[in-house]
Amino acid sequence: MSDITVKDKVFTEFISKKEMNLIVTSLAKKVETVFKDKNPIFIVMLNGAFVFASDFLRSLERPYETLFVRYSSYSGMQTTGNVVTSEIPEVVKGRHIVILEDIVDSGLTMDVFKKNLTKMRPESITLVALLSKPSARKVNVSIDFIGKEIGDKFVVGYGLDYDGVGRNLPAIYVLKE
Ligand code: 5GP
């Protein structure tokens, strides 16, 4: 397994580029089977989900609408518990919404986002999370499609950063203790 240094920390490869590809294409297939005739809107959670969403959306066979919102709660390697939000467009009203999220950790970000989205009265809300850390949960969030469950460890790569660095790495790396 190869190690990589991101700023002042050493990380080791955890989920290979090949495995990421299999996880994402299989997720996309499952989600499209359910939503292909429902005219869904995909909402990409920036910044972290941009790589996941880019591969996921390009694995879908039909054309769909895509929106982007920016929610953040992380600073460095920790969740701050304070979720910074951006506005959700009105077009979600009455539509089937599929959220694309990079990772659900404490659950606080998704809890706030789903509540705000519900206020906009969509027809349905479905959460697709590439990664989930069930043992780190502080609030209960129901995830409809999960790419992979991981332990309570800090990871970088495939869209996820350590203090702004490492989003470009094609595999997922875990912090070396
Ligand atoms: P939560 O609100 O569930 O605690 O955290 C959600 C957000 O925190 C994720 O969308 C992600 O951007 C960031 N995050 C959570 N865990 C990790 C992690 O292990 N590594 C990185 N780089 N970001 C994380």
Side-chain angles (χ1 to χ4, degrees):
M1 286 286 182
S2 52
D3 287 355
I4 197 160
T5 302
V6 182
K7 294 189 96 174
D8 58 341
K9 303 259 185 272
V10 180
F11 292 81
T12 193
E13 193 177 304
F14 178 48
I15 312 173
S16 69
K17 185 177 167 181
K18 200 171 158 195
E19 192 184 343
M20 291 311 294
N21 183 263
L22 290 174
I23 291 171
V24 174
T25 49
S26 126
L27 260 184
K29 200 166 247 170
K30 284 186 203 150
V31 174
E32 189 161 39
T33 304
V34 176
F35 284 94
K36 62 181 189 295
D37 297 317
K38 292 188 170 167
N39 192 24
I41 299 180
F42 289 91
I43 297 191
V44 181
M45 304 305 294
L46 297 175
N47 293 331
F50 85 103
V51 175
F52 165 48
S54 152
D55 284 345
F56 178 99
L57 292 165
R58 285 179 300 153
S59 302
L60 302 175
E61 285 174 4
R62 299 192 184 183
Y64 299 99
E65 278 170 69
T66 309
L67 295 175
F68 301 85
V69 298
R70 189 169 177 194
Y71 270 51
S72 65
S73 69
Y74 247 65
S75 173
M77 290 203 299
Q78 269 165 358
T79 182
T80 59
N82 195 0
V83 182
V84 181
T85 64
S86 74
E87 239 170 67
I88 304 169
E90 295 271 343
V91 291
V92 300
K93 188 171 178 189
R95 299 287 299 274
H96 293 286
I97 305 301
V98 180
I99 306 166
L100 300 179
E101 172 67 316
D102 53 1
I103 183 165
V104 180
D105 180 8
S106 68
L108 290 168
T109 307
M110 272 304 115
D111 185 51
V112 173
F113 181 64
K114 277 185 157 187
K115 281 179 181 151
N116 289 344
L117 186 56
T118 303
K119 287 184 201 147
M120 313 286 292
R121 321 198 56 191
E123 174 71 24
S124 70
I125 299 175
T126 298
L127 175 57
V128 182
L130 174 63
L131 301 172
S132 170
K133 296 182 197 170
S135 57
R137 215 69 96 234
K138 291 193 177 123
V139 287
N140 194 26
V141 171
S142 113
I143 309 176
D144 304 280
F145 297 87
I146 300 176
K148 191 176 171 93
E149 286 190 344
I150 64 171
D152 189 4
K153 300 251 161 100
F154 186 75
V155 291
V156 294
Y158 204 76
L160 295 160
D161 71 311
Y162 165 43
D163 224 5
V165 186
R167 294 192 197 276
N168 59 301
L169 298 168
I172 298 267
Y173 291 80
V174 65
L175 183 67
K176 224 173 162 177
E177 303 292 352

